[in-house]
Amino acid sequence: MEFAELIKTPRVDGVILHRPFMPTVEGTLCLTGHHIILSSRQDNTEELWLLHANIDSIEKRFVGSLGTIIVKCKDLRVIQLDIPGMEECLNIASSVEALSTLDSVSLMYPFFYRPLFEVIEDGWQLFVPEEAFKDLESMTDEWRLSEVNKDFSVCPSYPSLLTVPKDIDDESLIKAASFRHGGRFPVLSYYHKKNGMVMMRAAQPLTGTNGRRCKEDEKLINATLCAGKRGYIIDTRTIAVAQQAKARGGGFEQEANYPQWRRIHKAIERSNILQESLIKLVEACNDQSHNMDRWLSKLEASNWQSHVKEILTTACLAAQCIDREGASVLVHGSEGTDSTLQVTSLAQIILDPACRTIRGFEALIEREWLQAGHPFQQRCAQSAYSNGKPRSEAPVFLLFLDCVWQILRQFPCSFQFSESFLIMLFEHTYASQFGTFLGNSVAERAKLQLSHKTVSLWSWVNRPQELERYLNPLYEANNLVIWPSVAPQSLLLWEGVFLRWNRSTKCLDEAYQEMVHIIEYNKELQNKVNSLRRQLAQLETEDSPLQTP
Amino acid sequence: MEHIRTPKVENVRMIDRRTPRKATVGTLYLSSTHTIFVENSEARKETWVLHSLVSNVERLPTNPSGSPVIIRCKNLIVYRLLIPQEKDSLDVVASLTRLSRPERYGELFCFSFNPNLDKELREKAWGFMDLKAEFNRMGIPSNLWHVTAANHEYRLCDTYPSELFVPKSASPAVIVGSAKFRSRGRLPVLSYFHRDTSASICRSSQPLSGFSARSSDDEQMLQAIMKSNPVSEFMYVVDTRPKLNAMANRAAGKGYENEDHYTNIKLQFIGIENIHVMRNSQQKLIDVGDMAAPSMADFLWGLENSGWLKHIKAVLDAGVFIAKAVAEDGVSVLVHCSDGWDRTAQACSVASVLLDPYYRTIKGLMVLIEKDWVSFGHKFSHRYAHLDGDPKEVSPVMDQFLECVWQLMQQFPCAFEFNERFLIQLHMLIYSCQYGNFIGNCQKERRDLKLQERTHSLWPHLWENRAEYTNPLYRTDHSQTQGVLRPLTTAYCFKFWKGMYGRAERSLSSQQSPADCLNAVREESQQLEEELTAHQEVPRETDAGQETCPAEGEENFRGEEEDQQVV
């Protein structure tokens, strides 16, 4: 298909662009296969360069022959384009609509994007399971890397290599897979070096209404327990929801069959509820006319903050079981691709200082989200402004980022990255020139040949000049477990995302700059003093023969 | 001492609600001024609670492990004790209840508090605050404004300071006439002069206008105020009350200015609720902060239901309106409410903080509190229940002002020289009666109590400790420290003040504060600067073998936990 067919009017002059906090710009609007571009054709003026993929919805309005298009973006920004001429306006609108809702992945921009920078380190090769396993091997020999899912036939949403208990053979894995939703049998998610406890994740067991059991599944997870020790199964659903799942063939681990495990149910909501919550929250944030009562009641009604609290609480619970109780943990919900991953990844941020570095956080996202089969493409197809009926869209990953932000805010010196890194990730999951978040699983990504045909986000981000923008000046590496407060008063609305386009951040940015300045000045002084100290020491040694004959 | 039924109770448990199982055991002492809890642990950590800071003492039913006693303080800290014997708990509660409700001024802590200063130093300390100097600093043109002697010996208005700034063009007769037409004689006088535009903020109480009364003196007074701003053609009268309340006052012979009688005024109602609404609202907010393990919905609902942030927004909106009129339109403003000592003080002082960078410094905020609150007769003793009295007079008026400043700090992190700790400390000191500054209800009462001879002044003490209260992001040459602040007052800009109302959740101590980190970094930089200067001098002196002893880098990046809590 040619994009040209969809572009009815490629160019309109005299278009006026309105953006939050910036002066309006008049210029020429151009449509390309992947972008809306507005250029004022003057030097040094800001231009609009918007990916069609970033467009969540568009609205048209007409006053006389002047048409206006309101473009609502997935990054929650709203811009307005005044277009002279009704026909031009209609053409632009319908073209943008068509181009922003293309179904075929291979038509997406990452397949056309050619980087203007030199790729020094290929992000696609950066986080391979073999490397992660080497780290694990240095700590324990209880685990092995299984190739049972080499051709993705045992579990289509898992990667080809999986870390499993050493004593469990591939035959058993296949049997256990048949007992878990989507074939997602229990695999290793995290090894806690401090006490050797582990966190595993899976999908729900397919016990159904007649209480099916699977010896291999039981053996598999029991293999992770030390002799005489009990473990915890954290089911991210309420007991009621888990019961209901039985009718559809799902279910939960029966005490009788898993006597060494204690099951705890939490209440993390399913994806469609989360999507609704996001829509309500953004609606509340965008209405500046709300009085205090209305704002607070809308904020409450959106339930967003409740979701943040519930997810963080569950993650803390998992971390607590591992670090404080010295017990191993298995986490699952229904499919094991959403709430499960929120919990396992956040628990690692709490427990493992490595996850709080930039590289470590990238590795975590690779391991616990991309390779673990979080369906990014489905979940991020639409954002808060989608009008249509949601299919499988849900801000599961955004909620995870929000939770990370909450911990970061409570422990501002413990993370190597700053808030802007999280916001950047949020943007790229919804629309990007990079292929990293395309597809829904490793299998799909392999089929799309993303690593050959597109550039990895990490290839770009990890270049020093780019990385600099995301570094937290307050970072001081520490080896501690960090326990966030999950009290409602400790959890704030993530203004950097949800109020980003509604209020200027000038003063807050200035404060940030001030902070950077203070710290840089300190480093500069330290360098100076250190070099003087060295000089002094040198002088003293040179002088010493004279002084001490 | 006669109120102390039991001076010492052993094996008392102090319970932290977050970790109820990890109570600390110790001995409880009651002195005439403090409750002291000394832990049995090796550190012998002491917690001191001033009796005058206790807002109420509650005893819960005795259970097998003992008699629980809850001490709630006016600075919103709550202590939970478990006393083994019921009899002891009854004694402690009875003693504390009496001790925390002094009946006479003489019983207040400030009269026995002795920081070991000789007479001369004490007098000097009281001289630290000089409001004359402050009015000088404002650059008031002497051809337009002057000090009137009309209130000498408080004969015109006993709740005002004796020295008042009024328009030079207002004759003594006009001044006296205007005072007669204002509730409690609180006539319109200057509170703040804005040099850049020559517009001023004046304050008063409501006029005694009823349905039809008028006073040509009062009308002339307002005219004189307007004329003191040569370029402006009208002035605002900001009535900070909801219009309905102001109208209701007319039936009592009070009310608001009739725009037909006064030439060139524009009347503006702001809608800050009265002290009773605010008292109830704060109580609800405290309950929200006090909830044990609330859900997010409980919390947000409670926050909304308390109405607190709505009231904070109203106070800030009043300040924003006044500051805009003065700075942008160059129009003078007369601010009043009913008596002109609560909402008026809030509105004037918030506007001043917005208008004048000086009030955003440590010294400046002290000066502002002294001027707009202490000197103009904000009823500290009544509002903060220094003495056992009418509970309907109690209201968190000052709390709201401090919170408005805190909300502004959230929007302008570089604009204030002081930090959150300074505000919380001020809040505590206003309630604690340790110093004489906030005792009494007006200047005359303080004079009659001879406070300057019998008590100590807080300001120099705070000033000496200013390093503790410094915002590391503050720089005098930063753009945020220049000129007028223009805050957003959209609902979502207001936050729950966790540092003040969320202290039941004390896990904060384990978290990191960027400000403390930065302060440590800045301190280290300072040491490095010194070392650098020392080193740079060394080459000339190396032969002398002089040794420089560099201070080692500051390692402690966390806020230090103080072992002894004295409140």
Side-chain angles (χ1 to χ4, degrees):
Chain A
M1 188 199 66
E2 287 293 322
F3 292 116
E5 292 166 21
L6 295 173
I7 302 171
K8 293 178 186 158
T9 301
R11 219 185 102 163
V12 188
D13 288 323
V15 174
I16 297 171
L17 165 69
H18 305 265
R19 295 162 297 176
F21 319 117
M22 282 197 248
T24 54
V25 183
E26 189 182 331
T28 302
L29 185 79
C30 297
L31 281 192
T32 73
H34 294 105
H35 288 96
I36 303 181
I37 300 160
L38 185 123
S39 163
S40 63
R41 304 191 172 200
Q42 277 161 15
D43 292 329
N44 301 326
T45 41
E46 281 248 21
E47 295 171 27
L48 179 69
W49 197 270
L50 185 72
L51 265 181
H52 293 318
N54 192 0
I55 295 171
D56 212 16
S57 75
I58 68 170
E59 288 164 19
K60 305 177 284 266
R61 276 187 222 145
F62 291 96
V63 180
S65 68
L66 181 78
T68 290
I69 300 179
I70 314 265
V71 181
K72 299 186 171 177
C73 304
K74 290 175 187 167
D75 61 15
L76 308 183
R77 172 174 32 161
V78 178
I79 59 173
Q80 184 185 325
L81 294 164
D82 297 340
I83 300 171
M86 180 156 345
E87 199 193 327
E88 282 84 353
C89 183
L90 282 171
N91 283 346
I92 296 283
S94 67
S95 307
V96 169
E97 225 155 344
L99 289 163
S100 62
T101 51
L102 291 176
D103 269 337
S104 167
V105 187
S106 55
L107 291 176
M108 303 292 273
Y109 185 52
F111 289 95
F112 297 82
Y113 170 74
R114 289 295 156 258
L116 292 172
F117 59 88
E118 193 194 344
V119 176
I120 304 164
E121 195 179 29
D122 185 2
W124 290 115
Q125 306 306 323
L126 216 48
F127 306 103
V128 288
E130 289 92 334
E131 286 298 318
F133 187 73
K134 265 187 208 152
D135 281 348
L136 180 69
E137 258 185 328
S138 70
M139 300 183 277
T140 170
D141 58 358
E142 305 275 302
W143 300 81
R144 68 181 182 94
L145 212 48
S146 164
E147 292 186 2
V148 68
N149 199 36
K150 202 163 51 184
D151 51 2
F152 308 109
S153 59
V154 177
C155 170
S157 64
Y158 267 171
S160 51
L161 290 173
L162 292 155
T163 310
V164 295
K166 196 175 64 184
D167 301 334
I168 306 296
D169 58 26
D170 283 357
E171 279 306 296
S172 307
L173 294 177
I174 292 169
K175 282 188 181 141
S178 69
F179 181 64
R180 294 274 171 179
H181 190 119
R184 294 176 68 93
F185 58 88
V187 296
L188 181 78
S189 160
Y190 171 65
Y191 178 85
H192 196 44
K193 196 175 170 184
K194 197 166 116 190
N195 60 8
M197 293 302 131
V198 298
M199 180 161 58
M200 288 178 301
R201 54 178 157 75
Q204 64 178 343
L206 302 174
T207 55
T209 40
N210 48 11
R212 240 182 93 205
R213 66 186 288 187
C214 169
K215 290 274 184 203
E216 286 77 8
D217 186 76
E218 293 160 24
K219 203 177 145 211
L220 168 54
I221 73 167
N222 286 340
T224 67
L225 291 177
C226 309
K229 276 267 190 182
R230 278 166 65 102
Y232 290 88
I233 294 174
I234 296 176
D235 191 326
T236 62
R237 308 161 293 178
T238 60
I239 178 78
V241 173
Q243 287 281 10
Q244 283 163 17
K246 284 186 180 172
R248 276 169 278 119
F252 52 86
E253 295 81 357
Q254 297 293 337
E255 284 86 349
N257 302 337
Y258 298 83
Q260 287 166 282
W261 295 82
R262 216 188 118 199
R263 210 178 61 245
I264 304 172
H265 288 273
K266 299 300 285 182
I268 302 182
E269 289 290 357
R270 289 182 57 87
S271 53
N272 51 345
I273 291 173
L274 301 182
Q275 180 69 7
E276 235 170 77
S277 171
L278 174 69
I279 291 170
K280 281 188 191 162
L281 175 70
V282 171
E283 211 175 79
C285 291
N286 283 355
D287 192 338
Q288 321 223 351
S289 69
H290 286 328
N291 65 24
M292 189 64 73
D293 288 351
R294 191 146 177 76
W295 156 247
L296 288 172
S297 88
K298 286 245 171 188
L299 178 64
E300 188 214 320
S302 79
N303 264 327
W304 183 266
Q305 295 296 94
S306 301
H307 299 315
V308 170
K309 178 168 156 58
E310 193 59 38
I311 293 164
L312 262 180
T313 308
T314 310
C316 283
L317 174 74
Q320 229 157 14
C321 291
I322 294 169
D323 188 69
R324 296 232 171 129
E325 305 279 322
S328 285
V329 171
L330 168 66
V331 184
H332 70 73
S334 303
E335 290 91 353
T337 53
D338 296 291
S339 59
T340 305
L341 305 182
Q342 289 172 329
V343 173
T344 56
S345 53
L346 285 168
Q348 292 180 53
I349 285 175
I350 294 168
L351 293 170
D352 185 1
C355 294
R356 298 172 220 143
T357 65
I358 289 195
R359 280 295 166 110
F361 192 66
E362 289 171 0
L364 181 76
I365 290 172
E366 275 285 342
R367 255 188 355 254
E368 291 301 302
W369 292 89
L370 289 161
Q371 291 168 15
H374 175 66
F376 275 101
Q377 198 169 313
Q378 288 176 7
R379 295 289 180 256
C380 300
Q382 297 262 260
S383 164
Y385 299 121
S386 59
N387 304 317
K389 207 168 165 269
R391 287 161 298 179
S392 35
E393 291 82 1
V396 176
F397 189 71
L398 174 58
L399 269 163
F400 159 71
L401 293 176
D402 194 328
C403 292
V404 176
W405 177 78
Q406 305 283 352
I407 307 177
L408 168 62
R409 214 190 50 77
Q410 294 183 22
F411 297 91
C413 309
S414 298
F415 288 80
Q416 193 190 12
F417 50 87
S418 62
E419 177 182 8
S420 53
F421 190 62
L422 300 175
I423 296 175
M424 181 275 294
L425 287 169
F426 157 61
E427 290 172 342
H428 282 277
T429 51
Y430 279 91
S432 178
Q433 65 269 46
F434 304 106
T436 300
F437 294 109
L438 292 180
N440 293 303
S441 61
V442 174
E444 277 189 39
R445 264 175 236 122
K447 209 167 154 197
L448 289 164
Q449 294 179 287
L450 290 181
S451 59
H452 298 298
K453 294 187 172 170
T454 73
V455 181
S456 161
L457 173 64
W458 315 130
S459 303
W460 174 67
V461 165
N462 286 342
R463 294 171 316 130
Q465 59 270 53
E466 201 56 43
L467 214 51
E468 205 175 291
R469 295 167 44 196
Y470 303 119
L471 289 175
N472 173 11
L474 289 173
Y475 179 58
E476 282 276 318
N478 73 54
N479 276 317
L480 302 171
V481 175
I482 50 176
W483 298 107
S485 160
V486 294
Q489 37 182 280
S490 303
L491 304 176
L492 298 184
L493 177 70
W494 190 8
E495 296 181 13
V497 165
F498 298 111
L499 298 179
R500 182 178 178 191
W501 310 106
N502 299 329
R503 51 144 184 65
S504 160
T505 53
K506 182 175 159 280
C507 292
L508 303 180
D509 295 343
E510 283 171 358
Y512 182 80
Q513 282 311 317
E514 202 56 36
M515 186 170 87
V516 171
H517 174 79
I518 291 171
I519 289 166
E520 274 176 1
Y521 177 64
N522 177 269
K523 282 188 185 145
E524 204 179 296
L525 281 177
Q526 267 176 351
N527 289 339
K528 274 190 197 162
V529 168
N530 285 340
S531 93
L532 275 175
R533 279 180 192 163
R534 270 196 304 274
Q535 278 181 32
L536 196 67
Q538 215 165 15
L539 278 174
E540 272 165 15
T541 43
E542 281 168 18
D543 287 349
S544 52
L546 295 172
Q547 281 174 356
T548 49
Chain B
M1 287 307 252
E2 74 267 33
H3 306 305
I4 301 170
R5 294 206 198 167
T6 175
K8 181 181 175 189
V9 188
E10 287 184 327
N11 292 319
V12 173
R13 292 168 168 271
M14 171 108 90
I15 295 158
D16 184 348
R17 208 176 46 177
R18 226 167 15 93
T19 48
R21 273 174 290 176
K22 277 195 240 156
T24 42
V25 185
T27 307
L28 191 73
Y29 298 91
L30 292 187
S31 81
S32 57
T33 54
H34 288 86
T35 304
I36 306 148
F37 179 79
V38 183
E39 281 180 22
N40 288 350
S41 68
E42 213 154 291
R44 314 273 319 152
K45 189 182 150 194
E46 295 175 11
T47 306
W48 290 58
V49 184
L50 200 56
H51 294 325
S52 45
L53 203 54
V54 171
S55 111
N56 74 67
V57 195
E58 186 188 351
R59 211 180 67 86
L60 302 180
T62 304
N63 60 46
S65 51
S67 264
V69 170
I70 302 176
I71 303 174
R72 289 174 207 278
C73 296
K74 292 172 181 172
N75 65 339
L76 310 181
I77 288 180
V78 179
Y79 298 95
R80 289 160 210 276
L81 304 172
L82 193 65
I83 296 176
Q85 299 296 323
E86 187 175 63
K87 187 195 153 294
D88 287 333
S89 79
L90 285 166
D91 282 345
V92 166
V93 169
S95 312
L96 267 179
T97 304
R98 175 60 189 85
L99 288 165
S100 63
R101 285 183 204 152
E103 286 159 359
R104 293 169 296 107
Y105 276 121
E107 292 177 42
L108 291 178
F109 181 48
C110 58
F111 293 102
S112 56
F113 173 61
N114 185 0
N116 251 335
L117 285 183
D118 60 29
K119 188 162 166 283
E120 203 177 313
L121 278 172
R122 177 194 295 217
E123 274 166 24
K124 207 175 148 215
W126 277 107
F128 178 81
M129 188 60 71
D130 180 0
L131 286 187
K132 258 186 221 159
E134 168 55 12
F135 280 102
N136 272 336
R137 187 199 63 85
M138 288 180 201
I140 302 169
S142 57
N143 58 332
L144 296 172
W145 297 88
H146 71 159
V147 178
T148 172
N151 203 32
H152 184 61
E153 284 302 314
Y154 310 103
R155 50 184 182 219
L156 203 56
C157 170
D158 60 359
T159 59
Y160 261 180
S162 57
E163 290 197 349
L164 298 170
F165 270 88
V166 291
K168 209 168 184 184
S169 57
S171 69
V174 163
I175 293 170
V176 173
S178 174
K180 282 195 177 134
F181 191 63
R182 293 276 164 177
S183 214
R184 298 173 197 269
R186 294 174 66 93
L187 70 153
V189 295
L190 184 76
S191 163
Y192 175 71
F193 178 81
H194 194 59
R195 205 187 321 207
D196 298 350
T197 59
S198 289
S200 60
I201 302 175
C202 292
R203 57 185 290 172
S204 71
S205 61
Q206 62 187 337
L208 302 174
S209 48
F211 291 104
S212 57
R214 58 189 290 185
S215 153
S216 74
D217 288 330
D218 194 60
E219 289 158 24
Q220 283 177 46
M221 186 71 185
L222 263 64
Q223 185 72 7
I225 289 172
M226 193 201 84
K227 285 275 162 67
S228 299
N229 179 4
V231 291
S232 109
E233 283 157 13
F234 73 99
M235 71 179 283
Y236 282 111
V237 173
V238 169
D239 190 328
T240 56
R241 299 167 294 184
K243 190 167 184 189
L244 216 59
N245 301 20
M247 284 167 77
N249 263 295
R250 290 164 73 184
K254 299 166 187 170
Y256 51 90
E257 292 79 358
N258 184 333
E259 280 174 289
D260 297 335
H261 297 162
Y262 293 80
T263 30
N264 306 322
I265 66 160
K266 282 188 187 171
L267 194 58
Q268 174 76 35
F269 292 95
I270 298 276
I272 304 175
E273 297 289 348
N274 66 29
I275 58 166
H276 312 294
V277 174
M278 299 309 193
R279 177 178 56 247
N280 294 334
S281 169
Q282 193 193 37
Q283 190 50 55
K284 285 185 190 164
L285 184 74
I286 292 170
D287 294 344
V288 170
D290 216 25
M291 278 192 282
S295 72
M296 186 56 83
D298 290 340
F299 174 74
L300 288 174
W301 186 85
L303 191 59
E304 181 196 338
N305 183 250
S306 76
W308 182 257
L309 290 179
K310 178 170 65 188
H311 301 315
I312 296 295
K313 173 169 156 58
V315 176
L316 193 55
D317 276 332
V320 169
F321 179 88
I322 298 165
K324 183 172 176 293
V326 168
E328 285 174 28
D329 312 335
V331 174
S332 293
V333 183
L334 170 67
V335 186
H336 72 72
C337 46
S338 300
D339 293 312
W341 51 43
D342 294 317
R343 289 172 271 203
T344 301
Q346 288 176 331
C348 289
S349 50
V350 169
S352 300
V353 168
L354 295 174
L355 284 167
D356 195 330
Y358 176 62
Y359 298 127
R360 297 173 223 143
T361 64
I362 290 178
K363 179 82 186 285
L365 188 71
M366 297 182 195
V367 168
L368 184 65
I369 291 173
E370 182 76 20
K371 175 172 73 72
D372 275 348
W373 297 81
V374 177
S375 87
F376 274 113
H378 175 62
K379 304 203 293 174
F380 281 94
S381 280
H382 286 164
R383 296 293 177 259
Y384 312 112
H386 291 344
L387 298 180
D388 195 22
D390 183 359
K392 286 209 163 64
E393 281 284 330
V394 179
S395 189
V397 185
M398 194 81 196
D399 304 37
Q400 290 183 318
F401 165 64
L402 294 175
E403 177 157 345
C404 283
V405 175
W406 181 82
Q407 299 282 358
L408 288 171
M409 283 162 68
Q410 307 312 300
Q411 285 195 38
F412 304 98
C414 306
F416 294 85
E417 189 191 11
F418 46 82
N419 56 18
E420 177 182 19
R421 202 177 292 146
F422 187 56
L423 299 178
I424 291 175
Q425 185 72 2
L426 273 172
H427 177 266
M428 192 271 279
L429 289 162
I430 286 165
Y431 281 90
S432 73
C433 302
Q434 184 171 358
Y435 293 88
N437 304 67
F438 306 123
I439 306 301
N441 292 312
C442 58
Q443 206 178 65
K444 180 171 181 292
E445 198 180 357
R446 275 188 292 275
R447 189 196 61 175
D448 296 346
L449 283 166
K450 295 195 167 47
L451 284 174
Q452 300 215 356
E453 289 134 64
R454 299 168 65 201
T455 72
H456 292 270
S457 171
L458 157 73
W459 302 128
H461 163 76
L462 275 180
W463 180 247
E464 274 159 31
N465 294 306
R466 62 188 176 278
E468 239 179 279
Y469 305 123
T470 305
N471 170 14
L473 298 176
Y474 179 80
R475 203 158 35 82
T476 47
D477 55 348
H478 194 280
S479 66
Q480 287 182 32
T481 58
Q482 321 295 316
V484 181
L485 295 185
R486 292 182 178 79
L488 266 184
T489 59
T490 322
Y492 52 59
C493 296
F494 291 82
K495 294 176 184 153
F496 174 80
W497 189 1
K498 194 181 169 202
M500 181 65 83
Y501 295 100
R503 283 190 258 178
E505 173 70 26
R506 250 176 280 177
S507 57
L508 246 187
S509 55
S510 64
Q511 296 167 13
Q512 301 155 336
S513 138
D516 287 342
C517 294
L518 285 178
N519 266 331
V521 170
R522 287 214 335 186
E523 226 168 89
E524 191 196 35
S525 293
Q526 212 166 4
Q527 287 171 1
L528 290 170
E529 275 170 359
E530 281 161 24
E531 192 187 338
L532 213 54
T533 336
H535 277 317
Q536 274 156 0
E537 283 163 9
V538 165
R540 273 170 272 144
E541 296 168 18
T542 2
D543 292 334
Q546 186 168 338
E547 199 155 322
T548 48
C549 181
E552 268 308 309
E554 180 84 23
E555 296 274 283
N556 186 4
F557 271 34
R558 292 267 185 93
E560 274 164 60
E561 287 288 307
E562 268 182 46
D563 263 357
Q564 200 187 51
Q565 241 183 327
V566 183
V567 280

